[in-house]
Amino acid sequence: MSDNKYTLAPTEPPPAYEDASQKSPPPPTGTSPKPPTLRAPLPLSLPSLNALRNQRVILASASPRRKTLLAQLGLPNVTISPCPLPENLPKTLSPFEYVLQTALQKCMNVYKTEINNTSAGEPALVLAADTIVVSHSGDILEKPRSEKEHIGMLKTLRDEGDHRVFTAVAVMAPLESARDPGYALETVVEETIVRFDSAVTDDLILAYVKTREGADKAGGYGIQGIGAILVERIEGAFDNVVGLPLRATLKLIEKVTAPEEDIEEAFAEEEEE
């Protein structure tokens, strides 16, 4: 076993909720040599992704997790342009419609702004996504607004059994032709069922809340991080719970960046149905 030096856990209180999404400073450098760095995998070599790598791709989201997932897909140099509109659609909508309309609103707002950006030029692609957690009783859970709400949210998810995570993705790309409305638009909604471990204690929930990892996440937990200790199992795509289902997203990108004659044919088939 190596003789790495460890620093004591901080004794100060956790950061406020509005500061939860800020990155923490790097830990002090230890005296032991660093392990060798593993080589990152080469990017996917697919026509749709290769064509976008040297073009302007916009992510209409401030989520660092979605930016990381897009980089894993092979688009590391996306421009971050969050939608400024509030996410205040009525919760009376079905979860499917709520998450889909929110993602569409984000995508179309940023697209309309950026398509007229004369300094940077029009984007080749705009992508937006929205994730919600729906409790077993049907309540739409987004980001917790306080520590008290955060604790109650996680207790509810533990006590009610299965809950569902919906992520909607909307992708837009401008068309060179004059076909109305001048862009290609594709959307998808993915669903994953998550079950918390019923043996999770109130003390564990409180300890997790104090980490503030889940403060900026729908449902109040991050399955890709410490929040995995709360989860017993999932049914569906893991990355959908993280915030961007890559398989479905790649299919959307391929559709909107296809040759325009293919898009025209698909559009005509939809009109006939």
Side-chain angles (χ1 to χ4, degrees):
M1 182 180 291
S2 64
D3 58 347
N4 289 341
K5 293 182 179 179
Y6 293 87
T7 57
L8 295 175
T11 56
E12 63 272 19
Y17 269 70
E18 56 268 21
D19 299 327
S21 60
Q22 295 181 5
K23 292 185 178 180
S24 302
T29 304
T31 57
S32 300
K34 293 182 178 180
T37 303
L38 297 177
R39 182 183 65 81
L42 296 174
L44 288 170
S45 182
L46 296 171
S48 58
L49 298 178
N50 294 341
L52 290 172
R53 286 194 181 105
N54 295 322
Q55 298 193 60
R56 192 161 171 256
V57 176
I58 294 175
L59 174 61
S61 169
S63 168
R65 298 170 295 282
R66 292 191 179 114
K67 187 176 189 297
T68 299
L69 287 168
L70 281 177
Q72 292 175 6
L73 191 60
L75 298 173
N77 300 316
V78 298
T79 299
I80 303 299
S81 181
C83 175
L85 299 178
E87 297 179 18
N88 56 1
L89 293 175
K91 297 289 179 64
T92 52
L93 292 172
S94 70
F96 183 96
E97 282 298 323
Y98 182 91
V99 74
L100 176 59
Q101 292 304 319
T102 301
L104 267 173
Q105 178 178 270
K106 291 179 182 180
C107 195
M108 299 195 77
N109 177 270
V110 172
Y111 180 87
K112 289 176 181 177
T113 299
E114 295 294 339
I115 201 69
N116 297 316
N117 189 331
T118 55
S119 59
E122 74 175 27
L125 188 88
V126 175
L127 185 148
D130 188 61
T131 299
I132 59 171
V133 172
V134 181
S135 70
H136 187 74
S137 56
D139 294 326
I140 295 175
L141 308 178
E142 296 187 288
K143 301 171 185 176
R145 293 167 293 184
S146 67
E147 184 172 286
K148 180 179 180 181
E149 183 179 66
H150 198 172
I151 293 169
M153 189 178 288
L154 295 179
K155 285 182 177 180
T156 295
L157 294 179
R158 175 200 62 191
D159 296 341
E160 288 193 349
D162 294 347
H163 61 273
R164 295 174 293 160
V165 180
F166 292 88
T167 295
V169 184
V171 179
M172 298 177 70
L175 298 175
E176 294 182 2
S177 68
R179 180 175 71 81
D180 187 65
Y183 55 77
L185 168 64
E186 294 288 344
T187 62
V188 70
V189 177
E190 291 277 304
E191 176 184 355
T192 301
I193 298 174
V194 181
R195 171 172 289 182
F196 275 14
D197 185 350
S198 61
V200 166
T201 64
D202 289 354
D203 287 342
L204 178 54
I205 287 176
L206 178 59
Y208 177 69
V209 167
K210 292 291 186 184
T211 71
R212 291 296 188 264
E213 179 190 69
D216 65 336
K217 298 172 179 62
Y221 69 96
I223 196 172
Q224 74 279 16
I226 309 170
I229 62 174
L230 307 173
V231 177
E232 179 182 309
R233 63 179 175 84
I234 70 169
E235 295 178 17
F238 174 85
D239 51 10
N240 186 57
V241 185
V242 179
L244 191 70
L246 290 183
R247 175 187 56 80
T249 298
L250 177 58
K251 289 181 178 180
L252 297 187
I253 291 173
E254 290 175 333
K255 285 183 179 180
V256 300
T257 59
E260 287 203 23
E261 54 269 24
D262 294 348
I263 296 176
E264 292 279 356
E265 183 177 339
F267 180 78
E269 291 176 356
E270 290 178 2
E271 289 286 295
E272 291 176 359
E273 291 179 356

